[in-house]
């Protein structure tokens, strides 16, 4: 089984067309595509660490990988250097989380034709080269690695990035992003093919809701109380509750517990929807620290 993770549809579209992937409608909260044989899954997370963490968590909890499966994160990125005329393909040997300073190191055990380089994952778009210390910059890699490492060993993950800009994003469009990916599609797919062929390609059956529930980390009584308290005090919508549940799962997978999670200060009385959204966003940031 091959798991492909992209942040945007513009990055995913060439792979969807190449592998003739169809939308997996069982996964409703995030865009997941699937090959006819079930040997390829492609996830679109949306940009940003929180969005990536939540989407990958849901995919891997509901479509749990086996020991022979492989995950590859593919997408465009920023570069401290000006990209040359031809699309250059990098495979990341060092992933730095800009916010926490934590480094992650995928193992480079598979032979590849790419240039190895480090990437720095930031929570916001970075346009100032002085703010980053590593050649490449994106907004998802560290979160994807942290979640996926609970399911995959380091040598069965790869992070492939193609610079689309030198931290000047004003000219980057959906069409230019798709064009960058299409330019390297053949090389990427040729590299991936032996990895797919050498894996256990038994189609992974879509899980029922019971299967999903059985494979989610169990919450302790204290953790469930924290979840309920947060939901009630902020009067979260159904969508927000599900986002919060996915964040709790992400935290359990990466940290093993929900220690040091602090509820936001919520004023007495009714709060506006705008204030609720602001407080919820502030609370979500704790899960990536």
């Amino acid at each position: 089984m091959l798991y492909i993770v992209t942040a945007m549809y513009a990055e995913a579209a060439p792979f969807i067309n190449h592998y003739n992937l169809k939308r997996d409608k069982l996964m409703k909260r995030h865009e997941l595509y699937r090959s006819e044989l079930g040997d390829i899954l492609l996830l679109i997370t949306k940009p940003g660490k929180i969005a990536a963490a939540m989407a990958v968590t849901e995919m891997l909890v509901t479509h749990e990988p086996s020991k022979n499966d492989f995950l590859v994160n593919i997408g465009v990125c920023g570069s401290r250097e000006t990209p040359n005329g031809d699309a250059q393909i990098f495979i990341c040997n060092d992933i730095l989380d800009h916010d926490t300073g934590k480094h992650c190191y995928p193992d480079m055990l598979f032979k590849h034709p790419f240039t190895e380089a480090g990437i720095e994952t930031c929570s916001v778009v970075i346009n100032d080269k002085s703010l980053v210390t590593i050649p490449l910059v994106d907004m998802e890699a560290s979160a994807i690695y942290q979640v996926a490492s609970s399911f995959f060993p380091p040598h069965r993950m790869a992070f492939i990035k193609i610079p689309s800009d030198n931290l000047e994003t004003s000219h980057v469009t959906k069409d230019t992003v798709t064009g960058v990916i299409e330019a390297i599609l053949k090389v990427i797919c040729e590299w991936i093919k032996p990895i797919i062929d050498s894996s256990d390609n038994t189609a992974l059956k879509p899980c029922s809701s019971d299967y999903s529930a059985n494979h989610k980390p169990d919450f302790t009584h204290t953790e469930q109380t924290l979840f309920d308290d947060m939901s009630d005090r902020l009067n979260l919508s159904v969508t927000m509750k599900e986002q919060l549940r996915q964040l709790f799962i992400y935290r359990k997978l990466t940290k093993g517990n929900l220690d040091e999670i602090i509820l936001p200060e919520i004023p007495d009385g009714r709060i506006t929807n705008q204030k609720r959204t602001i407080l919820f966003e502030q609370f979500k940031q704790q899960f990536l620290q």
Side-chain angles (χ1 to χ4, degrees):
M1 169 74 72
L2 172 69
Y3 296 77
I4 300 174
V5 180
T6 69
M8 301 178 287
Y9 184 84
E11 297 167 325
F15 294 99
I16 292 173
N17 294 331
H18 179 79
Y19 291 118
N20 193 28
L21 306 180
K22 305 299 182 183
R23 182 74 183 266
D24 184 334
K25 296 182 180 179
L26 287 178
M27 191 162 158
K28 300 183 183 301
R29 288 176 290 275
H30 299 99
E31 276 190 83
L32 184 70
Y33 294 81
R34 181 186 186 93
S35 64
E36 184 176 355
L37 295 177
D39 57 345
I40 300 173
L41 292 177
L42 184 148
L43 174 70
I44 302 173
T45 66
K46 297 183 180 178
K49 292 197 297 181
I50 290 178
M54 292 173 63
V56 174
T57 297
E58 183 182 8
M59 177 182 70
L60 296 180
V61 167
T62 58
H63 298 76
E64 190 170 350
S66 71
K67 64 178 183 179
N68 292 320
D69 293 342
F70 192 85
L71 180 142
V72 56
N73 170 220
I74 304 173
V76 298
C77 67
S79 173
R80 295 180 68 197
E81 306 297 330
T82 302
N84 55 32
D86 298 324
Q88 187 172 7
I89 309 172
F90 291 90
I91 188 166
C92 302
N93 55 10
D94 179 9
I95 300 172
L96 169 63
D97 188 294
H98 179 83
D99 301 315
T100 65
K102 180 180 179 180
H103 288 264
C104 303
Y105 301 98
D107 287 341
M108 303 283 106
L109 298 188
F110 287 96
K111 292 183 179 180
H112 62 80
F114 315 126
T115 302
E116 294 187 13
I119 191 163
E120 190 162 345
T121 298
C122 303
S123 297
V124 297
V125 175
I126 297 293
N127 293 312
D128 185 348
K129 297 177 184 179
S130 67
L131 297 178
V132 293
T133 59
I134 285 184
L136 306 178
V137 181
D138 85 337
M139 297 177 65
E140 297 84 26
S142 67
I144 293 170
Y145 184 96
Q146 288 182 56
V147 173
S149 62
S150 295
F151 297 85
F152 295 90
H155 70 283
R156 300 207 69 85
M157 293 185 286
F159 295 79
I160 297 177
K161 301 292 177 176
I162 306 93
S164 61
D165 61 89
N166 62 330
L167 305 185
E168 293 288 343
T169 59
S170 58
H171 68 283
V172 179
T173 66
K174 293 179 181 179
D175 289 340
T176 60
V177 168
T178 298
V180 167
I181 299 298
E182 287 178 338
I184 54 85
L185 180 68
K186 182 178 179 181
V187 175
I188 297 292
C189 292
E190 286 180 350
W191 177 69
I192 288 174
K193 188 177 185 303
I195 298 174
I196 301 176
D197 292 344
S198 66
S199 298
D200 178 7
N201 288 330
T202 302
L204 188 63
K205 295 180 180 178
C207 64
S208 65
S209 58
D210 289 340
Y211 178 94
S212 173
N214 290 338
H215 285 74
K216 288 181 179 178
D218 293 329
F219 295 148
T220 66
H221 175 73
T222 301
E223 292 165 349
Q224 186 62 49
T225 300
L226 178 65
F227 175 86
D228 294 339
D229 193 19
M230 176 68 181
S231 300
D232 292 342
R233 290 173 64 188
L234 278 181
N235 192 25
L236 295 181
S237 65
V238 173
T239 299
M240 284 181 166
K241 278 188 178 181
E242 186 55 36
Q243 290 179 350
L244 181 64
R245 186 175 300 280
Q246 293 297 328
L247 285 169
F248 271 42
I249 293 171
Y250 164 69
R251 182 79 175 200
K252 288 276 285 186
L253 290 171
T254 57
K255 302 290 187 180
N257 56 58
L258 296 172
D259 294 347
E260 300 178 1
I261 292 298
I262 302 172
L263 288 174
E265 294 186 9
I266 302 174
D268 294 332
R270 183 181 180 277
I271 61 173
T272 64
N273 288 341
Q274 182 181 16
K275 181 65 174 178
R276 177 182 68 180
T277 300
I278 293 172
L279 289 171
F280 188 51
E281 288 299 320
Q282 291 173 350
F283 181 73
K284 285 161 61 175
Q285 292 297 327
Q286 293 187 59
F287 288 83
L288 294 177
Q289 295 177 356

